[in-house]
Amino acid sequence: MLVNHDALHKHVVVSTGGGSLALRIQYGGKCVVDQVFVRGRQVLSESQNVFTGVDIGGTRLAAISCFEDPAISVGKEAVTISGIRFGNETLQAEEKWVFTGSEERIRWSIERIYRGDGVADEVLLPLWTFPSMSTWTAAILGTGGVAWFRLFDTVRATYAVHTDSVTFWNADSGSSLRIMARPQQGQHVAVRFSRLPGDQVCCSFAVTHRELVPRYDPEFHRRRYLTDGEDVWSPEPLSGNVSVEYELTAIDYNAEYDRGTIKHFDKKAMGTLMNTVARIGVIDRNLHGSNSWRTPFGPVCLHEQFIAQIGLALDGDEYLKSYKQTLDYYRDHAIGPEGRVKARWAYTCEDAMPGTCDALGFYEAQWGYLLDSNCDYVTNVAELFDLTGDIDWVRGQKEACERALGFLLKRDTDGDGLVEMMTDNHTQQRGSDWIDVIWASHRNAFVNAKLYYALTLWSEVEELLGDSSRAAAYRDFSRGLKEKFNATTDKGGFWDPENRWYVYWLDKDNSVHGNNLVIPVNFMAIAYGICDNQERRSAILDRIEAEMKKENLFAWPLCMFSFARGEGMEFQYPFPNYENGDIFLAWGEVGVRAYASYDPSIAVKYIDRLLARYSEDGLAFQRYSRLTQKGLGDDILANNCLTIVGLFRNIYGIRPKYNRLYLEPHSTKELDGTIVNYRRRGHSYAIHLQSDGCEVSIRSFTLRSSGPFAVNEEDGKLEYFHGSSNRPSMMLQIGQRDSVYLTIEEWGGKDGKRLRWSERCSSAGSQIAHRIFDLTPGREYEILHDGVVDRFLKTDGRGEMDFETRGEHDAAKHFEIRMLHRRE
C-alpha cells in the first residue's frame, strides 16, 4: 500500500501498490473519504463523501461533523485514525479507522463504540453515495443476486439485502469496485441501495448485533423493496461495540467476467444480461427464485425447475453457494411432514390460498395447488449437486427429496403411471402448475413431464448415495410414466395422433383439454427424453417452427393456438392474452434443448433474437405481447435469461456433473472458433468449439474429441470420461512443467475393446503415466505405438492397467490398445 500524507491540509491518500485503487481521507473536524479513484476513474463528486454515522429520530449523527479533530498515525504499513467522535447529548459514538493494504487491495477496518442510549432508524457503517445512476450499471451481491439500477425507476426507490459482498460494475467502462465485509464474529451485515433526488445512488452498510429485520409490511416484515422510501429496515437498538473490516478491490470487470472468444453472438449483451436479468430472482439470502425483488408482492416461486440451471450459465461460486443455503432453508421450512412443498413465498400473503400462508411467508397460491413445486424442488437439488459436487450437502437433502417425490407418487391413485392433480375437472377453475390461471386438472402432462425429469435425475443421486433400491423404484416409476405419457389420448395418454402433438391435460372423464400446441408441454417432452420417437419429434418441432415463421415471433409463446373457452381465467380471452398465447421467456432453455440435437441453427436464431431484444429493452418485463411483441408487466422475471442458459448448456454443450465437466456441444458453422471460458470449482477451463468436434484445456492438459466426453483435473492428473459415462475411461499424469495435447480417435470400436488416441507433448522425454479403466478383468491386451506393438499387459481384477510412455516435442504419438483373443 502506498501512502501520501498532507498534514497541512489534513488529508491522507492511501492507494494500492499497483495504483488500481486510491482513497483520500479528510480528517480536519470530520473524518470522511472524499475521493475514490477506481482504475483512474473518480467515482465520487466534489459534494459527496463516504462517511459513517447513525440516523435517529430524523436526525443524522455522523463523522461529517466530529467533536474535535481525530488523531492520525501514519506508518509504513498502516494508517490509523482514532478519536473519531460524534453524536448528541443522549448518544455518542467513537470510532477508529485503520487502513492497510497490498498490491491489489485496501483493507479498511472500522471499530465503533456506542455511549448512551438510542434506537437507530438506520446504521451507516459507512454510507457511499455516487453522483449518477450511470456511475454503475449494477452491483453483484454475495447472495448471487444483483442490485440492477435500471429498475430503480422512482426517486427514493430502495432495495435492501443481507449480504457481505457488493461488486459495483459499469458495463461501458469495465471499471468495478468490490467491497467485501468481514464483521466481528456474531455480528451481522446488511446493505441498502437507494436512488436519491438528482439521480444519485447510495449504498449503505449496516453492522449490528442482531440481524436486521425489514420494517414493512407491519404484519409481515418481509419487504425488501420500497418504491418511495429509504426506511426499509426496522429500528435497531444501539449498544456496546461493533467492528468490521472491508476489503476494497478495483477489479477489471471485463477480465473478471470474461466469457472468452465468443463468435457470432453479441458477447457484451450476453455478459450483461447474465449479470443483470439472470440474478434479479435472488431476493435475499435464503430466497432464490425467478420473480424479482422489485415485484410489488415479491413472490418466490418454488414451482420452477430452472433456478439451479441459471447457475450453470452464471458460472459464479457465490450463486451456487448461496443457493445451497436457500434449498436447505426450503427443506427446513417449506416442506410439510407429508412431503408437500409449498408453492410460493412472498412479502405479503395477498397471493395466498386462505389459511395457507405461514409466519415465514410460505404458502399455497390462490389459484390452486401447484403440484410442480414438488418435482421442481428435487430437480433443483439434483442439478445444484451436479454443479457443486458437494456429496455431504446432497446427502442432507436425501430424506426431503424422498418425501417430496413420495407425495407426488402417491397421487397415481389408479396405478396407470401418471400422477393426478388435486382437481378432477377444469370446471373447478383451479390451477395445478406454473401456468397457474389455466385450469389444468387430473392427468396433467406439464406436471408429469417435470416429474419424469426429477425422477431420472434423482435416481442417479440415490445410486451415488448407495440406495440402489430407491434408485430402482424411481426408475421403474419413470418408465411407466413415460409409457403412459406417450400413449394416445383415447388410451389415457397425451399424444394426439391427429394433430401430432402432446395435449396439456385430461379431465377425469377422459375429455381432452389444452389441445392447442402448448409449448412447454411439448418442449419438455422432447428435452427431458420422454419423446424419443423421431417422427413425433420432427412433427412437433417442424410445426412449431412453421407457426413461428408465420408471425415472425422473436421467442416462443406459451401456446400456439387458443385454449378453449372455459379452460382458463376469463380475462385471457380473446386470444392471445397473458397465459393464453403471450410470450413468456421462461421456456427458452427447453426450447433450445429440444432443437439443439434436431436443428441447432433454429436454436441459434432464437438466441440471436433474444440478445437483440435485450440490447433494445433490457428484457425488463414479465412477458411480451404476442400481437405487438412489446414488453408487458411489472413482474420482472429472472427466467427471461433462460434462452442464454440454453446456449451454454445445449449449444456450447457445457453440462457440469458432480465428478466431471461433461461436454456435448451442438454447434453450427458460424460458431466455429468460439472459446468459452468456464470456471468450475476453482479451475478454469477453455472450451474450444468447432462444428466437427470440441477440445477443452485445463492447466497442462488439452483434450479433443469429435463426440461427447467429460474431463476432470485434480493434482496434475487428468481423467477422461468417454461419452456420458460417470466412470473415468483413462487417467494421465505428467510432470509439473510439462503439457500434453490428446486427441481421442476411437474408444470402444465395434467389439467394444479397441481404444485409439494420440498424444503431443510440450517437451521431449516427458514422462506420461497412464491408467486405463473399464477393460475386461484378467485379460491380456497389446499396446501399439505408431502402429507397432510396443508391449503386452494384463488387466487386474478391476479391469484396469497402468503403463508409462515418454513424449516427443511437438510430435504426435499414436496409441492403440487391443484385446488379445484367447485360442479355444
Side-chain angles (χ1 to χ4, degrees):
M1 185 178 74
L2 304 177
V3 179
N4 185 352
H5 183 206
D6 184 341
L8 178 63
H9 296 97
K10 295 189 176 181
H11 65 68
V12 61
V13 176
V14 296
S15 59
T16 57
S20 60
L21 178 63
L23 312 179
R24 189 175 81 168
I25 303 99
Q26 290 274 8
Y27 61 92
K30 58 185 175 181
C31 197
V32 299
V33 178
D34 69 344
Q35 291 183 4
V36 178
F37 286 88
V38 177
R39 296 188 174 272
R41 174 178 175 244
Q42 165 69 301
V43 297
L44 303 180
S45 70
E46 292 184 2
S47 62
Q48 294 156 343
N49 299 312
V50 182
F51 63 86
T52 57
V54 292
D55 288 344
I56 298 180
T59 300
R60 174 160 290 175
L61 311 176
I64 54 178
S65 178
C66 295
F67 293 151
E68 63 271 322
D69 286 353
I72 187 168
S73 171
V74 179
K76 291 183 179 180
E77 298 184 0
V79 172
T80 302
I81 304 174
S82 57
I84 306 168
R85 299 175 59 244
F86 56 89
N88 58 22
E89 62 277 6
T90 59
L91 178 74
Q92 297 85 43
E94 180 173 346
E95 295 178 354
K96 180 173 75 172
W97 296 1
V98 179
F99 295 89
T100 57
S102 64
E103 190 73 12
E104 297 180 349
R105 54 187 55 87
I106 294 172
R107 293 182 179 86
W108 175 13
S109 69
I110 304 173
E111 297 178 12
R112 174 184 287 181
I113 300 173
Y114 294 109
R115 296 186 177 93
D117 297 317
V119 176
D121 297 318
E122 184 171 21
V123 175
L124 311 172
L125 202 65
L127 173 69
W128 297 70
T129 304
F130 302 106
S132 168
M133 289 282 290
S134 62
T135 303
W136 307 112
T137 301
I140 298 172
L141 309 175
T143 58
V146 68
W148 186 14
F149 299 123
R150 178 190 181 117
L151 304 185
F152 289 60
D153 55 357
T154 57
V155 176
R156 303 294 182 190
T158 294
Y159 168 52
V161 61
H162 299 91
T163 184
D164 57 5
S165 175
V166 174
T167 301
F168 294 101
W169 58 278
N170 184 288
D172 295 323
S173 68
S175 63
S176 180
L177 174 64
R178 177 169 292 157
I179 305 173
M180 297 186 67
R182 297 185 180 90
Q184 180 178 317
Q185 187 173 2
Q187 297 180 357
H188 304 271
V189 177
V191 182
R192 169 183 65 85
F193 303 92
S194 297
R195 177 176 178 173
L196 304 178
D199 282 346
Q200 298 176 338
V201 173
C202 74
C203 171
S204 172
F205 286 81
V207 181
T208 55
H209 293 286
R210 304 182 305 179
E211 182 172 284
L212 290 181
V213 175
R215 182 189 295 258
Y216 302 105
D217 298 285
E219 185 180 351
F220 306 115
H221 299 286
R222 298 193 289 264
R223 186 174 298 276
R224 271 73 168 179
Y225 178 75
L226 306 177
T227 58
D228 59 356
E230 299 171 45
D231 57 338
V232 67
W233 297 121
S234 295
E236 178 67 13
L238 304 175
S239 64
N241 68 289
V242 292
S243 65
V244 61
E245 179 184 84
Y246 294 101
E247 183 177 278
L248 311 178
T249 310
I251 66 173
D252 182 341
Y253 173 82
N254 292 328
E256 180 87 359
Y257 294 95
D258 182 25
R259 308 315 292 260
T261 303
I262 304 299
K263 299 293 185 180
H264 180 74
F265 298 118
D266 184 335
K267 176 180 176 179
K268 180 179 178 182
M270 183 192 304
T272 54
L273 187 159
M274 293 309 299
N275 276 337
T276 52
V277 173
R279 295 180 180 271
I280 58 174
V282 185
I283 292 179
D284 200 346
R285 187 182 64 241
N286 297 333
L287 295 170
H288 285 61
S290 183
N291 300 69
S292 78
W293 40 261
R294 186 185 178 278
T295 306
F297 67 99
V300 170
C301 293
L302 278 70
H303 53 100
E304 293 182 318
Q305 79 276 32
F306 37 66
I307 306 303
Q309 222 178 54
I310 290 173
L312 181 154
L314 279 179
D315 190 23
D317 289 341
E318 77 288 336
Y319 183 92
L320 304 181
K321 180 180 179 181
S322 182
Y323 191 39
K324 282 198 301 183
Q325 182 176 333
T326 290
L327 287 173
D328 284 347
Y329 185 75
Y330 293 169
R331 175 198 63 199
D332 297 339
H333 301 292
I335 304 179
E338 79 292 358
R340 172 61 185 148
V341 180
K342 285 192 174 181
R344 293 180 179 174
W345 174 98
Y347 294 153
T348 68
C349 295
E350 64 194 81
D351 177 49
M353 185 185 298
T356 66
C357 192
D358 63 31
L360 294 176
F362 293 103
Y363 62 89
E364 300 289 0
Q366 61 179 313
W367 313 114
Y369 288 97
L370 311 182
L371 294 188
D372 46 347
S373 59
N374 274 59
C375 36
D376 293 347
Y377 177 82
V378 176
T379 293
N380 281 312
V381 170
E383 295 202 324
L384 186 59
F385 168 59
D386 269 338
L387 291 168
T388 66
D390 190 338
I391 190 72
D392 292 331
W393 174 78
V394 83
R395 185 176 288 108
Q397 288 282 350
K398 183 177 186 293
E399 188 269 341
C401 287
E402 290 167 354
R403 278 192 291 125
L405 288 174
F407 178 89
L408 275 186
L409 299 186
K410 289 176 183 177
R411 298 203 60 76
D412 178 18
T413 57
D414 56 9
D416 69 346
L418 300 174
V419 300
E420 293 96 39
M421 304 302 100
M422 295 289 198
T423 51
D424 294 336
N425 193 288
H426 71 282
T427 60
Q428 295 173 259
Q429 297 187 353
R430 307 298 287 164
S432 59
D433 61 50
W434 190 93
I435 311 177
D436 52 3
V437 290
I438 297 296
W439 310 134
S441 69
H442 200 57
R443 295 192 185 97
N444 178 334
F446 187 104
V447 172
N448 276 280
K450 285 184 165 188
L451 174 59
Y452 176 84
Y453 189 52
L455 288 168
T456 58
L457 294 175
W458 191 250
S459 61
E460 294 180 7
V461 177
E462 290 281 6
E463 199 74 62
L464 190 65
L465 294 175
D467 199 337
S468 297
S469 61
R470 282 192 184 272
Y474 292 143
R475 291 191 184 105
D476 285 345
F477 193 98
S478 67
R479 280 191 289 269
L481 188 160
K482 180 177 181 177
E483 181 179 355
K484 190 65 174 181
F485 192 107
N486 281 302
T488 54
T489 53
D490 61 333
K491 295 181 180 179
F494 299 118
W495 180 251
D496 180 342
E498 181 178 349
N499 285 314
R500 302 176 74 201
W501 62 54
Y502 292 98
V503 304
Y504 189 175
W505 81 90
L506 275 63
D507 278 354
K508 192 171 184 178
D509 62 5
N510 289 322
S511 58
V512 175
H513 298 277
N515 198 2
N516 53 327
L517 191 45
V518 178
I519 296 298
V521 167
N522 284 273
F523 275 168
M524 286 192 293
I526 295 169
Y528 295 162
I530 299 171
C531 176
D532 50 16
N533 180 295
Q534 297 306 308
E535 289 185 7
R536 289 186 178 186
R537 183 175 73 151
S538 297
I540 293 167
L541 296 179
D542 289 348
R543 181 65 183 274
I544 291 174
E545 180 59 7
E547 297 298 330
M548 293 290 288
K549 286 180 177 178
K550 288 179 184 178
E551 299 181 56
N552 193 30
L553 299 178
F554 85 94
W556 296 292
L558 271 185
C559 54
M560 278 300 173
F561 310 106
S562 180
F563 284 100
R565 211 88 189 198
E567 290 184 339
M569 186 171 277
E570 185 59 28
F571 81 89
Q572 300 173 107
Y573 301 87
F575 172 86
N577 186 21
Y578 198 59
E579 292 176 354
N580 186 24
D582 272 348
I583 297 169
F584 285 79
L585 301 179
W587 305 99
E589 188 279 323
V590 288
V592 172
R593 195 187 310 194
Y595 277 107
S597 60
Y598 180 69
D599 185 349
S601 67
I602 294 176
V604 167
K605 175 174 68 175
Y606 291 108
I607 295 166
D608 278 332
R609 291 182 178 182
L610 183 100
L611 288 171
R613 185 54 60 98
Y614 174 76
S615 296
E616 178 183 325
D617 64 17
L619 303 182
F621 302 98
Q622 179 202 44
R623 67 191 191 281
Y624 285 81
S625 165
R626 174 79 161 268
L627 296 175
T628 67
Q629 299 196 59
K630 298 296 184 182
L632 296 171
D634 58 4
D635 189 2
I636 300 168
L637 302 176
N639 62 42
N640 289 350
C641 77
L642 281 165
T643 301
I644 305 306
V645 175
L647 166 64
F648 278 88
R649 187 195 184 280
N650 308 305
I651 301 300
Y652 294 157
I654 301 170
R655 307 184 196 177
K657 298 293 184 180
Y658 69 94
N659 65 339
R660 64 203 187 279
L661 178 62
Y662 176 61
L663 300 170
E664 187 184 332
H666 296 280
S667 192
T668 58
K669 195 66 178 177
E670 64 262 46
L671 305 186
D672 280 2
T674 294
I675 304 173
V676 183
N677 293 337
Y678 196 78
R679 293 170 294 180
R680 174 179 175 267
R681 303 176 200 167
H683 294 339
S684 296
Y685 296 79
I687 301 162
H688 303 239
L689 297 175
Q690 296 290 337
S691 52
D692 62 348
C694 171
E695 70 179 49
V696 59
S697 298
I698 167 69
R699 299 194 189 184
S700 301
F701 299 96
T702 299
L703 189 147
R704 176 179 175 80
S705 177
S706 60
F709 69 97
V711 295
N712 184 56
E713 195 276 347
E714 293 290 344
D715 302 323
K717 299 177 183 178
L718 180 75
E719 292 178 318
Y720 160 70
F721 299 75
H722 179 63
S724 60
S725 173
N726 63 359
R727 291 168 50 85
S729 303
M730 177 169 61
M731 182 176 69
L732 279 76
Q733 185 172 13
I734 59 175
Q736 291 183 352
R737 298 182 180 181
D738 296 325
S739 61
V740 62
Y741 185 105
L742 293 91
T743 301
I744 303 299
E745 298 169 354
E746 182 179 8
W747 206 270
K750 292 182 180 179
D751 59 0
K753 305 301 179 186
R754 189 179 182 191
L755 316 178
R756 294 192 303 120
W757 73 95
S758 66
E759 300 173 1
R760 188 173 70 247
C761 299
S762 60
S763 58
S766 300
Q767 186 168 306
I768 307 174
H770 301 72
R771 174 167 292 175
I772 310 297
F773 301 89
D774 276 343
L775 299 174
T776 303
R779 292 297 298 270
E780 194 171 12
Y781 289 77
E782 60 181 2
I783 300 176
L784 289 76
H785 171 212
D786 290 338
V788 178
V789 175
D790 181 71
R791 69 191 79 178
F792 298 95
L793 289 175
K794 189 176 182 180
T795 57
D796 62 18
R798 296 173 299 181
E800 300 175 7
M801 68 165 64
D802 297 301
F803 63 94
E804 293 184 354
T805 64
R806 290 193 175 274
E808 297 179 8
H809 177 59
D810 277 344
K813 282 188 171 185
H814 296 268
F815 294 91
E816 183 175 343
I817 297 179
R818 296 190 302 214
M819 180 190 291
L820 293 177
H821 295 282
R822 294 191 180 102
R823 294 181 179 178
E824 298 298 335

